[in-house]
Amino acid sequence: MAENCLKSAGKRKLATRLVRGGLARTLFAETSEALFLTSGFVYGSAAEAERAFKGKTKRYIYSRYGNPTVTMFETRLAEIEEADICVGTASGMAAVFASLACLAGAGERVVAARALFGSCHYVIHDILPRFGIKTELVDGTDLKAWARALARPTRAVFLESPSNPTLEIIDIPKVVRLAHRAGAKVVVDNVFATPLLQKPLQLGADIVVYSATKHIDGQGRTLGGAILTNDRDYYANQLTPFYRHTGPALSPFNAWVLLKGLETLDLRLKAQCDAALKLARFLEGRRGIRRVLYPGLASHPQHRLAMKQMTAGGTLVSFDLAGGKRAAFRFLDALELVDISNNLGDSKSLITHPATTTHQRLGAAERARMGIGDGLVRLSVGLEDLGDIKADLVRALAAALGKG
Ligand SMILES: *Cc1c(COP(=O)(O)O)cnc(C)c1O
């Protein structure tokens, strides 16, 4: 529920906002952000409680509505995103679901790009239709497909760019133009780009959602999420009542961990993006690798668009191993440093085989449509020594190419 204090923070540079944004010290003058592990708050009188519930005083009522540590996280992230409003959530999926469910009702339409994180796909393809919401998936890179789908009135558009795991880039300003003409609000899942590499609100989107579990924590400790917007009407009349009464609230402890994550986000990202680009170049053209997908590579089909919308290619590199699932499994099993994990954005390098994990539920036909082959692996580049990561990948590649 942070409506941020950009006025004072507006002049401060990013590195300062990452460390100091939202800091609200108590009378004990602590250096680090205080952790308010409290579910409720007390009132000096019955009349004070009445005023609080009527919304006549601005104060904390209950941690499902808001909590001072959560507010510090929300304010800091809002300052980094340069957004007016940020609402913290318990996870990225809580942010995705709340941002859409507060918006669309029975009989209304939601259009989304097909290349989605597995759980986002489930929310749009399976859950929303149960409430009578009509949903349609389109090829996010095909503007004609967007135009066809958005020829009818639509309540919300949802997209990820870059997408998981194929790292497709969607032209956000062009989709926004089509969406707004159809009356839709545009929700961008900006997890892969992070608030530092891409600013969807400045590209015209209405709402940005994050899984803070990924780069914002970035150290594998906690779940978290956030919804950011400059749309006060959406915030006041749709998101706030939905959020208050359905309970996707962020825990104060997790908010505190995430505040600490934000302090080093810029430093971690610079190192991880730099290593990811070097690894993508290193892997491209190597024997046993069919293709490397990385927005920062000139060979990426939307490289120019990526470099227009983003300031770097990100921390994820996907590549297709010749030899399908068998080669991919051999490759993963031969790694000694890089861990097999479906998480991403971590300080530890992690790798996953999307076809049998994050995107397993979709079935072969839908995976094929999304470009997720059986040889595709997704590497999240961490903070280890680049030479060590390279050596691990080279060893595993040799094992994947081995006989049998
Ligand atoms: C991980 C992820 C989510 C979900 O976030 P959780 O914090 O795991 O709930 C949503 N979208 C994308 C693109 C993700 O990578």
Side-chain angles (χ1 to χ4, degrees), residues 89-96 115-120 158-164 189-193 209-215 222-226 316 342-344 358 378:
T89 57
S91 68
M93 285 321 301
V96 169
L116 293 176
F117 176 70
S119 298
C120 297
F158 183 84
L159 63 92
E160 289 171 24
S161 182
S163 70
N164 177 20
D189 180 335
N190 205 38
V191 169
F192 276 42
V209 292
Y210 286 106
S211 164
T213 317
K214 311 294 167 54
H215 305 82
T222 187
L223 292 176
L316 288 124
N342 48 284
N343 200 3
L344 63 94
T358 51
R378 186 199 72 195

Side-chain angles (χ1 to χ4, degrees), residues 266-303:
D266 194 25
L267 298 174
R268 286 183 284 114
L269 264 185
K270 273 185 189 133
Q272 287 169 265
C273 290
D274 185 49
L277 177 61
K278 286 180 178 148
L279 283 173
R281 287 184 179 144
F282 177 74
L283 293 171
E284 190 165 48
R286 210 153 254 277
R287 198 164 80 84
I289 295 179
R290 280 218 180 101
R291 58 174 184 156
V292 177
L293 297 168
Y294 184 69
L297 281 182
S299 61
H300 186 283
Q302 294 120 359
H303 173 66

Side-chain angles (χ1 to χ4, degrees), residues 21-329:
L23 177 59
R25 290 193 169 123
T26 74
L27 53 83
F28 297 115
E30 63 282 352
T31 308
S32 176
E33 296 72 11
L35 173 47
F36 289 90
L37 280 181
T38 183
S39 47
F41 302 86
V42 299
Y43 307 91
S45 68
E48 193 187 328
E50 183 187 29
R51 278 197 301 278
F53 272 78
K54 281 188 170 161
K56 297 222 163 106
T57 49
K58 241 187 132 178
R59 53 156 292 159
Y60 291 100
I61 293 174
Y62 189 50
S63 284
R64 172 149 45 79
Y65 292 13
N67 170 286
T69 309
V70 175
T71 302
M72 283 192 253
F73 167 68
E74 292 168 332
T75 307
R76 185 168 297 177
L77 187 56
E79 288 182 11
I80 294 161
E81 188 77 32
E82 297 169 51
D84 291 341
I85 294 155
C86 175
V87 174
T89 57
S91 68
M93 285 321 301
V96 169
F97 183 67
S99 69
L100 290 170
C102 76
L103 199 55
E108 293 177 329
R109 299 179 76 240
V110 172
V111 175
R114 173 167 290 120
L116 293 176
F117 176 70
S119 298
C120 297
H121 188 276
Y122 187 73
V123 164
I124 287 163
H125 190 263
D126 296 78
I127 296 182
L128 295 182
R130 274 199 237 149
F131 298 93
I133 297 166
K134 298 182 181 116
T135 66
E136 188 176 336
L137 296 175
V138 301
D139 174 351
T141 61
D142 181 354
L143 286 168
K144 289 203 187 90
W146 282 110
R148 273 195 302 278
L150 293 170
R152 280 181 286 159
T154 303
R155 202 70 182 117
V157 160
F158 183 84
L159 63 92
E160 289 171 24
S161 182
S163 70
N164 177 20
T166 50
L167 307 173
E168 279 178 16
I169 306 294
I170 295 175
D171 192 325
I172 296 173
K174 287 198 175 136
V175 173
V176 164
R177 222 167 298 139
L178 293 167
H180 285 171
R181 230 180 281 156
K185 298 225 187 277
V186 178
V187 182
V188 174
D189 180 335
N190 205 38
V191 169
F192 276 42
T194 81
L196 303 189
L197 304 186
Q198 177 169 270
K199 296 257 189 290
L201 297 179
Q202 290 172 14
L203 296 170
D206 303 285
I207 297 140
V208 178
V209 292
Y210 286 106
S211 164
T213 317
K214 311 294 167 54
H215 305 82
I216 292 176
D217 172 32
Q219 290 148 88
R221 302 167 295 187
T222 187
L223 292 176
I227 304 168
L228 294 113
T229 185
N230 292 327
D231 186 335
R232 288 184 178 273
D233 176 60
Y234 168 80
Y235 169 64
N237 300 316
Q238 280 144 345
L239 184 59
T240 298
F242 186 92
Y243 173 86
R244 288 187 166 196
H245 303 301
T246 63
L250 175 60
S251 126
F253 180 79
N254 292 356
W256 184 86
V257 173
L258 297 170
L259 273 160
K260 293 297 160 198
L262 283 174
E263 293 184 356
T264 56
L265 179 63
D266 194 25
L267 298 174
R268 286 183 284 114
L269 264 185
K270 273 185 189 133
Q272 287 169 265
C273 290
D274 185 49
L277 177 61
K278 286 180 178 148
L279 283 173
R281 287 184 179 144
F282 177 74
L283 293 171
E284 190 165 48
R286 210 153 254 277
R287 198 164 80 84
I289 295 179
R290 280 218 180 101
R291 58 174 184 156
V292 177
L293 297 168
Y294 184 69
L297 281 182
S299 61
H300 186 283
Q302 294 120 359
H303 173 66
R304 285 183 55 173
L305 176 60
M307 293 302 98
K308 206 164 92 184
Q309 283 186 177
M310 298 165 67
T311 54
T315 66
L316 288 124
V317 182
S318 293
F319 48 99
D320 232 326
L321 290 156
K325 178 180 166 184
R326 196 181 158 82
F329 271 38

